[in-house]
Amino acid sequence: MQNGISSQLTQASAYGATFLDLYDDVLAMIAPDLTTKESLQLVAKRQELSSVTIESVQAVIRICKYMLEDVVGRLQWIPRLSVSVWIPDKGSGRYEWLVKRNGQSEAPMAMGLLVSLLEQAHGLQYLHVGDVDNNLEFDHALLDAICALPNLVELELLRGDQFETMKLLDGLQNRLRILRLGVQVFNADKDAMISGIGRFQELRVLGLGGMYTQRSRFYKNTTRFMHDLHHTWPDVNHLTIAHCDLELPAVLHAFPNLRALTFTEWDIISRSMLHDRSAYSVKLQGPNCLEYVEGSGHLFEDWPAERPVYHILIQSVLAIPSQTAMGGETRCGDPEIPILLEMARNAEPVILTFRIMAFESLHESFWKRLAAEATRLRCLEVGLFEFRETKGLTSLFQGWMTNVPSSLSPITSLLYLEIAIDVSTSWFISCVRNETPEPINLDYSEAYAERLASLVIMQIPSLRYLSLGFGSMASHLPTPHIQPFAGRMWMWKAEGTGGERALCPVPSTIARRLKVLLKSPDYDPLQESDDASTGFW
């Protein structure tokens, strides 16, 4: 073996190659004998070239020249490439002023280098292309280069709206496992795109959506995506659909073996398309059970009883009575309340996450009914809203914590409750926002949060853990199934029984691990005693 390694080192030296140009299996055998400096160089090279992102014409030229100088020693290291460069159509003249201003006269050279790189990047497994139609129009050789990639398994195309994207989908010979496609709202032939996707029967993850445009936000009845589906994808287990008008029964029929389903009306770029939104690593029992479902409440009307869901996350704000300032009319939150209650009954969730107005009037109409329908709940996560201009917010939330949580006491399976207080609803209540809004009259201290938590813990005997604080559900969060609210949150463990229950603070370093444990399908309450004895706390 040693003679074989020495022979390869001698051959590499004879051809002017360096130590880092050796094959991976050879490097693995001799790695234990490396000095610390050599090891760091090797790790740094792997890390630097493992995922390459290009965001300007100048960066395309610089990076492609560097990679093409040593195809075998550098280009073979790249499994992931992201190209987010907007190059206007060279033949139209529509954007001549922009080309001159941004110095994009180098665009032909950049595109030629990019095509050369893709033609030789045989190890590429993931490719992201932004402004795909503009770039394909600029140089049609780019389409052929992408179609010829031999090992591509994950493809992400954004802002496609014309025939070029369709040609690319038709020409792909790769056995894609993951496809994310974002299209312009008005221009795309969406039915044709779905037909093009229909032949990719080995897909496991599929993301489809219409991109927000400034114009589309003002049109209430805009058709955002498909009207119908003519294909089925039995192997797709994770599906994200953004800004679409599909009916729920059509989706469940076309994707019969889903594990995670996300309908989002948020920004598909920052949230849904660029993150692998896998839910839970442990598969649930039963072919019809979904691990995770997310979307606005109105999208889940008439959820079928034969499709249980482990974790449901509702994006919209329940019971909100008003309109947004610039985005047109919102769907009033009151009609979504019976939809959620029916879904809770039919889907039998173990974890439920939603946002709702902090109206005590909902005590009977919603909270008590939720306790009657969601009888299998183990974890409940609630974003609690109120108008920021409301006077006496500190006492208002204290009153809510005093009177409402007792409604949940019939849910004997409820072990974890998270309450995030969010007072940002001034965005929804006026057509013209004040330039200098009044300061929020709310106590944001940890002491106040603990005082509220102590009120809650006395009313729900089954609770073992409680998180409470001040945060919001934001579109940038990559893992909402684990951490739905961003902000200042604190966690406590409930100790004692009856009226003698007390709060024991959980360190922040442990809180996230504990949430993962509580939400796991493999969670065993008896495991807590083991965790305590082995120093989990």
Side-chain angles (χ1 to χ4, degrees), residues 402-506:
T402 302
N403 300 317
V404 175
S406 60
S407 307
L408 302 173
S409 59
I411 310 178
T412 57
S413 59
L414 187 60
L415 301 180
Y416 174 66
L417 175 63
E418 179 168 336
I419 300 176
I421 295 174
D422 188 331
V423 289
S424 62
T425 45
S426 61
W427 287 91
F428 295 91
I429 63 173
S430 62
C431 293
V432 180
R433 298 190 66 201
N434 295 326
E435 294 184 1
T436 56
E438 296 182 9
I440 301 174
N441 58 337
L442 180 65
D443 185 352
Y444 283 104
S445 68
E446 181 178 359
Y448 175 63
E450 185 171 2
R451 186 161 68 249
L452 297 183
S454 64
L455 294 172
V456 174
I457 205 72
M458 297 299 180
Q459 301 178 59
I460 309 176
S462 62
L463 277 188
R464 296 188 184 181
Y465 300 95
L466 173 65
S467 291
L468 196 146
F470 311 95
S472 61
M473 185 185 295
S475 62
H476 67 273
L477 296 176
T479 56
H481 62 286
I482 297 298
Q483 189 71 38
F485 303 111
R488 300 181 63 203
M489 304 292 294
W490 297 272
M491 189 176 190
W492 298 270
K493 181 179 180 181
E495 296 184 338
T497 58
E500 302 300 323
R501 304 186 83 195
L503 297 174
C504 177
V506 177

Side-chain angles (χ1 to χ4, degrees), residues 27-73:
L27 290 174
M29 286 186 289
I30 64 178
D33 298 323
L34 299 178
T35 66
T36 301
K37 182 178 181 180
E38 290 170 332
S39 298
L40 290 175
Q41 288 177 333
L42 177 61
V43 173
K45 181 176 179 182
R46 279 185 176 273
Q47 184 66 28
E48 179 184 359
L49 300 181
S50 62
S51 181
V52 176
T53 299
I54 307 175
E55 297 182 340
S56 70
V57 170
Q58 293 73 23
V60 171
I61 295 174
R62 183 176 66 255
I63 293 174
C64 289
K65 280 185 175 180
Y66 171 76
M67 302 306 301
L68 291 169
E69 284 176 358
D70 183 6
V71 173
V72 176

Side-chain angles (χ1 to χ4, degrees), residues 317-386:
V317 180
L318 302 178
I320 191 167
S322 55
Q323 297 180 346
T324 59
M326 297 298 293
E329 294 185 5
T330 63
R331 296 177 176 87
C332 177
D334 284 339
E336 293 193 336
I337 286 179
I339 294 174
L340 174 58
L341 293 173
E342 181 185 16
M343 188 181 187
R345 179 176 64 252
N346 291 339
E348 302 178 315
V350 174
I351 305 168
L352 181 58
T353 307
F354 60 86
R355 305 184 294 175
I356 191 169
M357 299 300 296
F359 300 153
E360 288 192 39
S361 58
L362 298 172
H363 185 223
E364 296 286 339
S365 61
F366 176 74
W367 292 103
K368 283 191 173 182
R369 291 184 58 192
L370 178 66
E373 303 293 359
T375 56
R376 297 180 63 236
L377 272 186
R378 182 200 304 159
C379 302
L380 177 61
E381 300 165 314
V382 179
L384 206 57
F385 272 69
E386 188 47 270

Side-chain angles (χ1 to χ4, degrees), residues 43 193 203 225 278 317 386 478:
V43 173
M193 284 189 171
L203 286 175
F225 210 74
S278 57
V317 180
E386 188 47 270

